[in-house]
Amino acid sequence: MRRSPLRVLLVDDQPLFLETLALLLGGDERVLVVGSAHDGLEAVRLAQDLAPDLVLMDLDMPVLDGVEATVRILATLPTASVVIVSGSDCASDVDRARRAGAAGYVTKSRLAIDLESAIAAAALSRGRGCKVSGRAASLRMG
C-alpha cells in the first residue's frame, strides 16, 4: 500500500535557499512541497491554510522568528512537525528550538547530509511511519 506524500511547508527569508530546498525535495516522491514562506508570520498563516505535515523552518527571520512561529504553528496544528533549518550550530539555539516544540534541528552546512534523516525522524514523531536511517536518532530532540 502506497502512502500519501508528506506535505511540507518551506520557510526561509532567503529566496535562493528556498529554491534550493524545493529542488532538493522535488525529486522525492515521498514529499510534496505545498508552499513556501519568507518570514515567520507568513509561515503561521500558510500553515493554517495548507495544514502541512512538516514545516522546515529557518530560525532567524524578519517579522517573526522561527522559534515563535514554531510555537504558534504547533498551537493550531498539533499534529504537524517542525524541523528547524538554521545556519547556527549554537547549543542555545538548539535549546530554544526544542523548547518551542521543534521535532528536529539541522544546520544549513549539513543540510545535504542530514535533511532526509531529519524529515524521516520528524515524520515518525507524528506517526507517519517513514523509514529512518541511523543518523536520524541523533537529530531527534523530543
Side-chain angles (χ1 to χ4, degrees):
M1 180 159 112
R2 190 170 185 182
R3 294 184 187 270
S4 60
L6 192 67
R7 297 170 44 82
V8 178
L9 174 63
L10 307 177
V11 185
D12 198 287
D13 60 329
Q14 298 176 14
L16 183 59
F17 184 77
L18 277 177
E19 289 177 31
T20 302
L21 196 52
L23 284 172
L24 277 173
L25 297 173
D28 190 336
E29 65 185 26
R30 299 169 298 173
V31 175
L32 174 64
V33 175
V34 295
S36 62
H38 296 93
D39 63 61
L41 191 57
E42 184 181 14
V44 172
R45 286 187 202 127
L46 280 176
Q48 290 171 351
D49 291 344
L50 301 172
D53 301 308
L54 174 66
V55 180
L56 295 178
M57 176 87 68
D58 187 19
L59 192 62
D60 295 315
M61 294 179 292
V63 184
L64 188 69
D65 72 14
V67 170
E68 182 59 28
T70 296
V71 169
R72 291 183 188 189
I73 288 169
L74 295 177
T76 59
L77 291 171
T79 61
S81 291
V82 176
V83 171
I84 298 295
V85 180
S86 176
S88 169
D89 63 357
C90 181
S92 63
D93 286 336
V94 176
D95 288 341
R96 287 187 324 131
R98 179 183 297 124
R99 286 191 305 271
Y105 190 102
V106 178
T107 60
K108 289 180 179 179
S109 64
R110 293 195 47 91
L111 189 65
I113 298 164
D114 294 339
L115 183 61
E116 183 177 351
S117 295
I119 289 171
L124 270 179
S125 77
R126 297 298 185 218
R128 292 282 306 213
C130 293
K131 186 175 180 177
V132 181
S133 70
R135 184 76 187 124
S138 66
L139 296 170
R140 293 186 72 184
M141 299 188 321

